[in-house]
Each structure stands twice: as structure tokens, then as C-alpha cells.
Amino acid sequence: MNRRRFLTVMGAAPALAMAGAGSGAAQGLLTSDLTETAMPLWQAWRDSFLQPDGRVVDGLQRNASHSEGQGYGAVLASEFGDQPAFDRIVDWTEANLSVRGDGLLAWRYLPGEVNPVPDSNNASDGDLFYAWGLVRAAQRFNEPRYLTRALQTAQSLAERCIMPVAPGANETVFLPAAQGFVHADRIVFNPSYVMPLAMREVAAATGVAELARTAQNAESILLRLAQTGPVPDWVQVTPQGMSAAPDFSANTGYEAMRVPLYLVWSGLNNHPAVTQMVRVYTRTVQPGVPVPTIIEPASGTVLEASNDPGYRALAALVSCAGTPGETGSLMPPFDPSQPYYPATLQMFAMIAANQVTPQCVPI
Amino acid sequence: MPLFTPLRTRYSRQAAFGLTAAALLAASPQIAAAQALIPLPLDGEMTEIDAATLDQLTADRFEASSHRGTHIEPVAIDPSVISPLRPVEARGRPAGSAIRFDGESRTLDFALFVPNPGQMQALRLATQSSINILPERSRFRAYINDTLVGEGRLEHFTEFGVVEFPVGSSVVLPGQNHVRIELIQYHRIYCGPEASFALWSDIDLANSGAVLASADGISGQDGFMMGIAAAAATGSGIEIRGAEGLTDYRDEWISQITQRISASLGGDPIPFRFTRYWSVQGAARSAARITFLPGSANSVTFRTSGDGAQVMVVEFIPGQRPTALPEFTDILPRISERAQPALIDTQRPVAFSEFGFRTTEVRDRYALIEQRFRLPEDYVVLTNDKAEIKLDYIYIPDLPSGSMLLVHINGNNMRLLPLRGEGGQLIEQFPLSFEARFLRSGMNTLTFETIIPGSPADLPCPTQDAAMVAIGQGSTLQVPYSPSMYLPDMHLAFSGLTPDSLQVNDMTMRSFDSNDVVTLRAALTGGENAQTAALNPRLHLLSLEDLGSIPMGTYQFSRRAVENVLLQNPEAGPIAAADPGQNSLLRMTERRETGAGFARSWDWLRGGFDATLQWLHPRSGTLLENWLLEQRGQAVLIQLDPSQANQIWMLRAPDSDISAISSALVAARTNAEGPRGQVSILDREGVWHSWVAPDRQPVLLEPVTLGNMRYVVGNFVSATPIRYVAGLFLFALISALFALRLVIATREHRE
């Protein structure tokens, strides 16, 4: 079964069709090879956040490393065709985070601690991006061994981090981790852990169809969540239905800001979750004024803002991609002096714009 | 009864996972074929985690994810922005963001863009002064649109200090405003010309200008012009983004837009630099940018980018020539013109006012007043014909002894006028005749220099509100007739250069990248002499490796001489001669020369002979080589072959700043001395040093008539008099011999 046929079966065709529409609406700007047009950005990111041993460092988090960062780094390295960097990332990750035995990664590494990996629980988004990086690298570098490793992760994710939203229900949900989020009275999940494009590509490459099906379900769940406002950071599913998880974070913050990014990257520019954030950004983002990073979804009140260029880039991408007919975005230049997280989101915003909405190049 | 079954996932499900993976591998030939090179860790036995521990670990996870950026407190945000000042005249040597006021009093004019006057809060000036300045009496005044908005003291000596003058919206116009800043500076210890030289104050342009309440509402062409002023002040230059999409018509698009902007700006040219859409933030933040985007129609819009840069977005139809940008033609306001000085008539008294001189009052102990004017490009007087200034001037009584007014033409002192004896009386039409050979075709500079010693010199000058000397605009200048002639000089081609004049070849890029070429082209926009531009002048940009392509005419110089100019550190001396100790052949030569006394005598005789020969028939090549060895600079212009009078070749130092070179080019065509003669070097201070070949011959451009014969012959003879003297002597000798032979022959006949 070829990839397109497989994705059609798994309901991915709409997403790809929209992605194609995005490219078609580029009004002359086409997707470029970022290794030719943006290599200095990757070099700057790599120099700032990737250690020689392959550890991606989050300076704001006590110089910790996360499976998320390793996964993000793997995706970036494969995107920019940097196999040495990719191999370093994978080697370090396998040596330090792949301690569970099931192919999933421990979510955090704390340097300098007696036990640098105190919690062996995983973070499903880190695993997903790690697998996605492996899948892309396998194709880009023609290395089948990467695909073998991706299969192990995909299979474990399907087995341990995907479950029905209710017993017997067809709709599945992507759990944040293998442990800790399924309770007697509710399931808690993080909408920003869902990256539809990554789930579909990993599913297509490994044959783990549950990932693609869950991506499709997640889009539907996000659609429902976005009916009343921006998608919150954490969501709980109870017998009464789906709502923000107040004891986690009911705000639209550093977690949920990735939701519209991933949707745009997946070609879902017109998804209501994107539209909701376009409204927020249209109202709040101005030149010289910090960009909101935490919003109270119901009122739209800005609770926290930042001048990190990555957040501004994210807002600019969402605003441009989510506004029909918009050409040229307000993404700032990449600044490697910003923290790891906004810097990485800025790299993703660039890749998403390049792949899906090339008309949204920075002016 | 719970609806959901608690799912405590056990870590050890390896058997099931292994089976599933094996099944998948079997089902997928691609994966099955792969070698599993990445080993999984050993399957350790995982233990169940109790709920309390798990909750604690999960809480850690939320804590970690709640701080992922640089949080900005709302109260810490100052939304105000600065719209910087833009000097309207080219300085010739832009040095960072500071503009210098030197001497005892100085006035400079600036453009200031205020997109929305309602947001104007204040005029901010950041100043730093020389320690020699007496702060109690040294001050500055700032005017906006001729309205005084504030007066401050010059009292910041160790670092820039900021003063803000509140400005109401009624003083400010939307868009372009005129700002004038006047400085008066006193030395804290001494008085007199020497003390005057030690006085200076800098204004930091990047931090001086209109304080606007916020960036809100800053857009459109005024916002873009404000961004350009900021780009000039900060030195970041104007970024050109997305030009690679213009493909075949890139140069046409870039030229059209950059030259239009450059023409609007006037003053110092701003460097342009190309970037891609995806870029890394550099040290200097972009303030102005031109971004090309493919679209369905050619159009221009203005937006504020995410990094705060004011952006002119140019949408273009891919694959089409830049036929029309309807909005662009009149969209940018014109700050100032790059106009050449006025052309004056010959053979009649021309009032100073006709070439822009306005009655000038001097309050300083030392003042240098320069006025440019132009003579026709075919003006050549090499004889001792006289030009005449009839000067109107006045000075106050009882000026200190030694007070004087010096009059210079093109840097050559013509007269010294003592300022004594007639104080308080208007001296009208005082005749000052000088040799017209000091005048040149094209641009000329008339300079008045006043020197008034301090009295006493070892105390600060008294407050001087009244003028001490004044020069009237009714003064006249009369220059004599010149036949239409041409003296080989690069000025002719230089004054006519246009953006299209720039020529590059395959090796140019070794010294000039595409950013440099665009910046130079933009700098050559405006200010050209239409008459000489018609000669289709060319400026060839060369790399040092391509030195051999320069036509040398009858001159010569070595590559080493040019490298000495461009590759030497300004602080270092000339390239050292080879160390004799390193070369046995040289040591032998030295021994021989030092050992033979007669050899030194011979050298002396030979030197004298060479000097005499040089006087009789100058060998320019040697002179040029020697001159070059004494120079240091950042750029060299060369025009050695008189048969290619419309061609100039340019070289630059590897570490030179293209914006400084561009600025010097603009200034040289508008308000400063420019390159002259056959070789001209731009030094690191922005001053041109020119070498004029002593043996260059005038070229007559009109028929010889009875009316012009005397002048034509006079010029030819004056160019190299020794040749004509020798020729006439030879002619006389031959005539005498012929006459003698005739006499002898006649006498023989009689016999």
C-alpha cells in the first residue's frame, strides 16, 4: 500500500489537501529547500542549544534536557540534513533517556544530579517528535535503522498512550504519558501533545495506524474545544463531557500555544483552533509590545507576555496562515539569544510556513 | 461506580510489545530489511509507582512547563520610540551614529519624520562634549520648523547625556519636519584659534530625535522614512529581502527602488544589504527594510515588521520587467537634493549671492567659511591671467593684534587681509586679484578664514553675542576668459557619474560584493553634472588582482605602491624596505657602495642630473610611484590614459567601509573637495588626496581663431614652458645657422 493510499484510508487526505491548497495559494512563493535558504538559522540554533555530546539544553529549566527537546532537535536536524548532529542527538538520547525498556523515553534529564533521570515516566509528545525525527531521517539519510527505532516508539505509543475517550468508544485520545493521567473519574490530556502531521507520517512509515486514527480524532476534539475560545493547556474528559482541567492549567499558555502551530504545520489553516488564536493575536500583538504567552481563554485577558522573538514568530505565522489572502508575515529574524523553547518554536514556525504557507515569509 | 477503569500501565509489557513488533516487521518488508543497529536498553524490571509519588512527579512536570520564556512585566515596558534625526547634508565621513559640532559656534540642519504629531512627546538630544568646554556658558538651542523648543547646556563629558524638551503637537507637522540645532562652545581655559580647535560636541543620532508615545499608528511612507533615518543613525543600513525572487530582472528592480530612495534621502548615502527571508538577528537591529514578494500586480505598501523595522513591501509580477510602480513615483518625500554648486559666468563680475553665498557674520575666534561654485567643464587658464574678487566686509574696532582674514582659492592662499585700522567701517568692493590658474574646471572652493587671537589668550573668551567680522553677499568674483580646452583630469568623468556608470567584471566580486555595488549605485543617484553625464562616464570597480587591466597611458606605478596605499594599517608606516641582513645580494651591494667613496660622488652627480632632467622633462611615472608610497587610504580612483577621459578605475582597501566611501563620493559632488587629476586617494578621514601629473597637456576643443589664439598659445606654452623655450631656442639656433650660412654663401658668391 503506498503512502497516499494509506493516508486516504486513515482520513489524512483532508489535511494533505489543505496543505496542498496552502502551497497553491502562495502567489508565486514556493516551498524552498531550507538547507539552502535558512541554513544559518539551524547553525545558530545548533550552536546555542545542542551540546557536542548531542544533548539539547533548556537553560531556563536548570539546564535540563527533555525527551521533547531531543525529539525537536531530531526533527530539526533531519529537516536541515545534518546527519552528524542527528546522530549525536540520537546517541545521547538512547544512552540517557531510553531507560524504560519499552522504546519510550524518560521525559527529563537533570544534569549534575545523583540520579539525573528521577522520573522514568515518558512524555508522549517527546516520543512522538523523536519518532518523527527518526522517520524523516530514515528517508533523508537513507538509513533504515532509524525506521526500526521509530517503529519501536510508535508501537509503544500506540500501546501505552492511546486509549478510548470512554470504554467502548471509537474515539481515541493521545495521553500525555504512559502513567499518571488516567484517573477513576477522568482522563486528562494535553491538546498540544497532538501533532497531526507527525502522527500521520509516523503512522505511514511504521504502519502503526492507531497514530493516524488518533490524529484524526484529535482534530475533531480540538474542533469541539475551540468552539468557545482558544484551546486550553490541559483538558479533562469526564462523564459530563470535555472541559479545561482547572487543577492543571485551564489557561491558554506555553503548552497550548503549540496547538495552532501544529495545526498550521499539518495544513489545517482553517481549523477553528487556529481561528481562535488569530483573533487573540489580532487583538493583542503590536510592534514593540510583548506578545501574549498566557491567556485566560474565556475573557481573553493577557496574563503573561514575552518579548522572545519565537513567540512573536509563532503569532505571526498563525495570524498569516489563518487569514485568507494574507501575504507576508510579521515573523522577526531568528534570535539565538532567546531561550530554548521560543527559539525552537520559531524554527518550527519557519518550517511550517515554508512547507504549508510559503506566502507567509517574513517581510 | 467509576465509569473509567483506572489504567495503571505497568512498564513491563515487553512480551506483547515484542510480538507486535515482530509481526509488524514481518508485515513490512522495508522495516524487516533494516538492520536494527540501535540497541534497546536491557529490559529492566519496572516497579509500580504509588499514586502519591506519581502525583509529585507529575507536579514537577507542570512546574517545568510553566516557565518557558522570558516573562515581561507590563510595568517594565516603555512603549515610547525614537524617530531619529537625519542630517540633510552629506558629511563625507559618517562615523557611527554621532555627528560632530566643532569650533565655537555651529549650526546643522536635520530632517525629522513624525508620522503622527499627536504622539510627539518631546525632542530628545543626547550630547557629549570635549572636556575643554566651559559648561557654564556653552549651550545649544534646538528649533523645530523655526520654533525654539529648548535650550540646554553642554555638560556631559564622559558619556552621552540626554536632555528632553517637551514639544506640543502644534509645533510639529505630520511627516517631514525641519530641525535646526545651534551650538555655542567656549573653552574653559583659553581663548583664540588654538582653543577653538579643541572644542567639539557630539550628538548621538541614534538616541536623538522625536520621542513618540508608542509605535502605534506608525506606518505608511512617513513611518518608512522614520525607519530610514533610524537605519542611518544606527548604521544598520537598509535591508533588501527577497531579491532572489526577482530572477532575471533583479538588477532593474533593485536599481529602480534603491536609487529612488537614495535620491529622496539626500545627505549621506545609506548602505543597502541583501538578506534572505529567513535570517538570523544580527548585532544591529534593522530599522528599515525593502521586501520583495511575488504577486499579481506591481504595488508598494508600507508595514511594520515583527522586529519593529519599517518595511516597504514591493509586490511584483514574477518574470516581468519593473515597468511601473504607480504609487512609488511620488510616494517618498524628498529630504534634500543632491545638487551640484552653481555654475558661474566668466568675464563678468558675479555677485557672491549668485552662487549661494549669503552675508555671513563671524563670532568665532577661528572660522572657516567655504563656498563652492562651478566653472565650465572646458575652462582652462594656465597663464598668469588675473581673476578678481571685490570684497565687501566689515569688522569691529579694536580687534586684537594679529587678527586677519585669509582668502583661499582651492586651498591656495590668495590674500591676507589684516583686520586693523578700519574697524567699524564697511569696506566695499575691496579688490583682490589673484592668478586665474588656481581656478579649475568644474567645482571650485572659495574659502574665508578668520583668525582673531584671544585677548587675553589665557582666559576664557568673553561672551560674544555680536559679530566680529562680516562678509557681504554683494561681493563679486570675476574670472577671465578661457578658450574651450580640456586638461586631462578625472573630475570630468567623476562629475558625470550616474548609477548606470558602474562597471563590474568577473573579478570585481573579490573586492565589492553585491551589497557594495547597490550601495554605490544608490550613492551615484543625483548630483551628476548633466553636461558631463552625456559623455557616458564609466566607473570600473576592480579588485587588486585585476590591477593590470587599468590603462596606464604614459605613466606607471607598481603593484607594491598601490598595496602600500590600501593594505597598510593607517597607523603603520610605509611598507618596509627589504632588510639587507636578510639578503646576501643586498649586503654585497651595500658593501660595495659603502666601500667606494667615488661611488657616492657619482651617486650625487647622478641625482643632480636626474633632478635637472626631471625639471626639464618631468617623468611622471617616478613621481607617481613616490607619491603613492607616501599615501594611505581606503579607496583609490585612477585615470591615467588621457585618451579614455570618461573612464575611472576604482580600488578599495579590504577593510574599508563602503558606506564611508559612498558618503565621500556624494560629498565630493555636492559640498566638499573631490578627486582630481590622474590618481586620487580617499583617506580614512574621508579626505581626497589627488596626484596631478605635471606633464599633462591641454587639449583644444574649438578651432583656433584670431580671437582665441593668444589664450590658446598661452595655455599650451604655460603647460610645459621648458619645451617651448627649448624649441624656440632650437629654432633660433637653426635660424642663426641658416642666416650665417646664407651670409657666407652670399659673400662667396660676390667673390
Side-chain angles (χ1 to χ4, degrees):
Chain A
M1 183 185 291
N2 64 29
R3 180 169 176 267
R4 177 165 289 278
R5 169 88 176 127
F6 174 84
L7 292 175
T8 305
V9 170
M10 298 314 298
L16 287 182
M18 291 181 78
S23 299
Q27 298 178 4
L29 277 167
L30 302 174
T31 296
S32 64
D33 181 356
L34 292 178
T35 60
E36 293 178 0
T37 59
M39 203 58 182
L41 280 76
W42 161 245
Q43 289 164 345
W45 187 95
R46 188 184 60 195
D47 294 346
S48 298
F49 307 111
L50 179 61
Q51 288 191 165
D53 61 357
R55 186 166 82 85
V56 177
V57 179
D58 184 348
L60 281 185
Q61 308 278 347
R62 294 189 285 160
N63 289 324
S65 293
H66 309 101
S67 59
E68 166 212 87
Q70 299 303 119
Y72 285 174
V75 169
L76 291 174
S78 64
E79 177 70 28
F80 286 92
D82 190 342
Q83 190 169 10
F86 182 86
D87 285 340
R88 277 156 44 205
I89 291 171
V90 169
D91 290 346
W92 187 91
T93 307
E94 293 299 319
N96 294 279
L97 295 181
S98 187
V99 296
R100 291 165 51 88
D102 60 357
L104 301 180
L105 306 173
W107 75 278
R108 182 164 68 165
Y109 174 91
L110 291 168
E113 299 286 331
V114 175
N115 177 14
V117 186
D119 182 4
S120 58
N121 201 5
N122 72 313
S124 56
D125 65 332
D127 291 307
L128 174 62
F129 271 82
Y130 187 60
W132 193 28
L134 289 163
V135 164
R136 289 191 153 196
Q139 183 180 9
R140 180 135 200 170
F141 306 133
N142 194 27
E143 287 277 9
R145 61 185 175 131
Y146 298 146
L147 201 56
T148 305
R149 180 66 181 89
L151 167 68
Q152 292 162 346
T153 299
Q155 187 60 37
S156 280
L157 282 173
E159 184 185 356
R160 295 164 190 258
C161 297
I162 291 175
M163 68 173 296
V165 293
N170 285 328
E171 194 170 52
T172 53
V173 66
F174 194 49
L175 294 174
Q179 279 192 299
F181 296 92
V182 179
H183 302 276
D185 56 346
R186 62 174 182 167
I187 298 173
V188 175
F189 72 95
N190 186 321
S192 71
Y193 281 30
V194 174
M195 189 342 181
L197 180 64
M199 296 170 89
R200 290 195 171 95
E201 287 196 6
V202 173
T206 62
V208 180
E210 288 88 341
L211 284 171
R213 188 159 60 90
T214 302
Q216 191 168 9
N217 292 333
E219 290 164 16
S220 174
I221 291 171
L222 290 172
L223 190 146
R224 277 176 271 156
L225 287 170
Q227 293 304 310
T228 55
V231 174
D233 286 336
W234 292 90
V235 172
Q236 60 185 6
V237 183
T238 66
Q240 287 73 39
M242 209 173 291
S243 62
D247 52 338
F248 286 72
S249 165
N251 294 323
T252 302
Y254 292 106
E255 300 278 354
M257 65 170 58
R258 292 176 294 187
V259 170
L261 167 66
Y262 291 164
L263 289 173
V264 168
W265 198 348
S266 303
L268 300 166
N269 302 10
N270 299 323
H271 193 285
V274 176
T275 308
Q276 288 287 2
M277 282 310 287
V278 170
R279 289 184 187 136
V280 170
Y281 288 139
T282 302
R283 182 172 52 81
T284 57
V285 176
Q286 295 174 19
V289 178
V291 175
T293 48
I294 301 179
I295 301 156
E296 201 284 301
S299 65
T301 305
V302 176
L303 303 177
E304 198 170 305
S306 172
N307 266 332
D308 292 328
Y311 298 129
R312 191 174 294 279
L314 181 62
L317 169 74
V318 171
S319 299
C320 178
T323 307
E326 188 80 355
T327 302
S329 72
L330 305 184
M331 282 190 242
F334 178 76
D335 187 348
S337 67
Q338 64 186 317
Y340 142 82
Y341 187 64
T344 307
L345 295 188
Q346 184 163 11
M347 297 293 285
F348 284 171
M350 172 184 66
I351 296 170
N354 183 58
Q355 289 182 353
V356 180
T357 57
Q359 77 274 18
C360 288
V361 291
I363 61 168
Chain B
M1 181 179 174
L3 288 176
F4 295 88
T5 306
L7 189 96
R8 294 288 186 198
T9 306
R10 295 175 63 89
Y11 283 171
S12 51
R13 289 189 183 176
Q14 301 307 309
F17 172 75
L19 286 173
T20 310
L24 259 170
L25 285 170
S28 171
Q30 183 186 7
I31 297 176
Q35 297 293 318
L37 297 179
I38 301 174
L40 280 174
L42 293 174
D43 187 7
E45 187 61 31
M46 297 289 184
T47 56
E48 290 275 357
I49 297 176
D50 64 82
T53 305
L54 193 56
D55 286 348
Q56 177 57 48
L57 293 172
T58 306
D60 285 351
R61 184 189 297 238
F62 299 139
E63 174 64 20
S65 64
S66 61
H67 302 291
R68 310 217 66 173
T70 312
H71 172 215
I72 299 289
E73 294 293 339
V75 292
I77 302 164
D78 176 10
S80 67
V81 293
I82 299 286
S83 175
L85 298 170
R86 163 80 181 158
V88 298
E89 272 202 351
R91 288 172 284 168
R93 48 169 182 169
S97 69
I99 186 167
R100 177 155 293 188
F101 292 67
D102 46 19
E104 292 155 89
S105 63
R106 185 89 187 272
T107 300
L108 285 179
D109 296 307
F110 303 87
L112 178 68
F113 286 89
V114 181
N116 180 4
Q119 291 205 327
M120 176 98 180
Q121 293 179 323
L123 179 70
R124 176 186 293 177
L125 293 175
T127 65
Q128 182 181 5
S129 302
S130 154
I131 191 64
N132 296 308
I133 285 198
L134 180 64
E136 289 78 10
R137 285 162 52 194
S138 300
R139 62 189 187 277
F140 62 91
R141 292 194 182 101
Y143 300 82
I144 297 180
N145 300 325
D146 295 326
T147 301
L148 178 67
V149 296
E151 179 173 352
R153 293 204 319 188
L154 297 169
E155 53 191 3
H156 303 288
F157 304 110
T158 55
E159 59 185 1
F160 280 100
V162 171
V163 176
E164 290 190 3
F165 302 119
V167 175
S169 59
S170 60
V171 178
V172 185
L173 302 171
Q176 185 176 345
N177 292 267
H178 171 228
V179 172
R180 187 173 82 249
I181 298 176
E182 299 173 352
L183 268 82
I184 297 174
Q185 307 180 123
Y186 288 89
H187 200 287
R188 64 171 71 219
I189 300 173
Y190 302 115
C191 178
E194 291 295 330
S196 180
F197 295 144
L199 300 176
W200 56 261
S201 292
D202 285 345
I203 290 184
D204 180 13
L205 293 175
N207 196 28
S208 299
V211 181
L212 307 179
S214 75
D216 192 23
I218 295 176
S219 62
Q221 65 200 51
D222 292 328
F224 184 63
M225 294 305 286
M226 175 183 140
I228 286 178
T234 59
S236 60
I238 300 175
E239 195 180 337
I240 301 175
R241 182 178 282 183
E244 59 273 15
L246 297 168
T247 59
D248 294 344
Y249 302 111
R250 179 180 182 277
D251 287 349
E252 288 178 58
W253 273 103
I254 298 295
S255 296
Q256 177 177 339
I257 288 176
T258 56
Q259 288 161 26
R260 175 71 185 89
I261 289 173
S262 190
S264 294
L265 288 176
D268 283 321
I270 300 179
F272 292 91
R273 58 191 169 92
F274 290 97
T275 60
R276 290 183 177 274
Y277 291 122
W278 306 110
S279 58
V280 178
Q281 177 64 58
R285 205 162 277 279
S286 281
R289 183 180 300 134
I290 302 163
T291 298
F292 289 95
L293 292 175
S296 55
N298 293 343
S299 67
V300 171
T301 54
F302 294 94
R303 297 166 71 181
T304 304
S305 178
D307 58 349
Q310 298 296 321
V311 184
M312 185 169 82
V313 179
V314 182
E315 289 196 53
F316 64 96
I317 304 172
Q320 287 193 14
R321 288 181 183 281
T323 48
L325 278 175
E327 312 93 321
F328 190 55
T329 308
D330 301 314
I331 210 164
L332 296 175
R334 192 169 285 267
I335 296 178
S336 65
E337 299 282 350
R338 281 183 188 151
Q340 295 212 330
L343 178 70
I344 67 168
D345 293 336
T346 60
Q347 299 177 272
R348 77 164 179 91
V350 178
F352 282 12
S353 59
E354 292 183 55
F355 52 89
F357 187 92
R358 297 286 172 263
T359 297
T360 301
E361 297 180 344
V362 178
R363 293 176 171 78
D364 300 352
R365 300 281 161 170
Y366 177 83
L368 200 66
I369 304 153
E370 292 188 330
Q371 180 63 44
R372 322 270 174 208
F373 60 93
R374 279 190 306 129
L375 286 170
E377 297 296 340
D378 59 350
Y379 186 89
V380 176
V381 173
L382 300 177
T383 61
N384 63 350
D385 265 6
K386 296 291 189 288
E388 186 174 56
I389 290 172
K390 290 192 172 174
L391 191 65
D392 294 345
Y393 70 108
I394 187 172
Y395 54 92
I396 61 174
D398 303 323
L399 283 176
S401 173
S403 300
M404 64 186 80
L405 170 63
L406 301 164
V407 183
H408 308 278
I409 289 288
N410 295 324
N412 302 294
N413 179 240
M414 298 295 112
R415 287 292 289 268
L416 186 158
L417 300 174
L419 301 177
R420 65 168 185 267
E422 296 177 283
Q425 300 174 30
L426 175 62
I427 302 167
E428 291 184 279
Q429 300 294 295
F430 184 82
L432 301 169
S433 66
F434 59 92
E435 293 189 31
R437 63 188 173 89
F438 291 110
L439 295 167
R440 307 179 298 210
S441 62
M443 193 188 295
N444 289 265
T445 305
L446 169 64
T447 307
F448 297 102
E449 186 179 15
T450 60
I451 296 173
I452 302 171
S455 178
D458 55 356
L459 285 176
C461 293
T463 302
Q464 185 68 48
D465 290 330
M468 292 185 281
V469 182
I471 300 167
Q473 64 189 35
S475 308
T476 62
L477 168 65
Q478 181 168 359
V479 301
Y481 165 79
S482 157
S484 180
M485 298 185 80
Y486 162 68
L487 207 52
D489 193 307
M490 70 172 69
H491 170 77
L492 188 75
F494 182 79
S495 65
L497 292 174
T498 66
D500 295 334
S501 303
L502 232 55
Q503 301 292 302
V504 296
N505 61 28
D506 294 340
M507 296 177 75
T508 297
M509 289 302 161
R510 295 187 182 188
S511 292
F512 299 85
D513 64 20
S514 55
N515 299 351
D516 300 336
V517 174
V518 168
T519 301
L520 284 171
R521 280 212 168 101
L524 293 174
T525 306
E528 74 273 16
N529 180 333
Q531 189 185 359
T532 52
L535 298 173
N536 195 23
R538 292 280 177 261
L539 178 62
H540 302 269
L541 305 182
L542 295 185
S543 68
L544 269 172
E545 293 77 9
D546 201 16
L547 205 58
S549 67
I550 300 176
M552 304 293 273
T554 58
Y555 307 100
Q556 60 188 359
F557 58 79
S558 67
R559 179 192 175 93
R560 175 172 165 264
V562 176
E563 288 179 347
N564 180 69
V565 174
L566 297 176
L567 303 183
Q568 288 288 298
N569 188 308
E571 283 77 32
I575 292 176
D579 179 5
Q582 305 298 316
N583 189 310
S584 58
L585 188 63
L586 290 174
R587 282 203 304 274
M588 194 189 325
T589 307
E590 188 182 30
R591 276 198 305 273
R592 251 202 339 249
E593 290 184 350
T594 53
F598 76 89
R600 283 200 293 275
S601 303
W602 170 247
D603 287 345
W604 182 84
L605 284 172
R606 197 173 60 180
F609 178 76
D610 286 345
T612 308
L613 201 62
Q614 189 68 43
W615 177 74
L616 288 170
H617 181 72
R619 288 174 298 157
S620 299
T622 310
L623 295 177
L624 175 57
E625 178 85 5
N626 293 339
W627 182 80
L628 283 172
L629 288 172
E630 295 171 355
Q631 306 298 317
R632 300 285 180 278
Q634 54 182 327
V636 181
L637 297 186
I638 300 169
Q639 186 195 69
L640 291 173
D641 187 353
S643 68
Q644 301 193 45
N646 64 339
Q647 316 270 324
I648 300 176
W649 286 261
M650 179 173 172
L651 300 152
R652 67 179 291 202
D655 61 342
S656 58
D657 177 4
I658 199 67
S659 59
I661 295 173
S662 302
S663 180
L665 291 177
V666 171
R669 289 160 31 122
T670 53
N671 61 3
E673 284 293 313
R676 283 276 176 178
Q678 279 57 56
V679 179
S680 196
I681 293 170
L682 178 66
D683 71 14
R684 304 274 171 174
E685 301 299 314
V687 179
W688 294 94
H689 302 270
S690 299
W691 181 81
V692 180
D695 58 346
R696 58 182 183 165
Q697 292 297 307
V699 178
L700 183 62
L701 302 175
E702 65 183 10
V704 179
T705 63
L706 284 175
N708 68 11
M709 181 181 294
R710 184 172 70 86
Y711 302 98
V712 171
V713 171
N715 277 344
F716 277 116
V717 171
S718 300
T720 45
I722 194 65
R723 286 187 188 178
Y724 291 93
V725 169
L728 286 172
F729 178 75
L730 188 63
F731 179 72
L733 188 65
I734 292 169
S735 299
L737 290 173
F738 182 76
L740 185 64
R741 180 72 186 95
L742 187 66
V743 169
I744 293 171
T746 309
R747 292 179 68 176
E748 283 174 349
H749 181 70
R750 283 178 187 164
E751 289 173 359

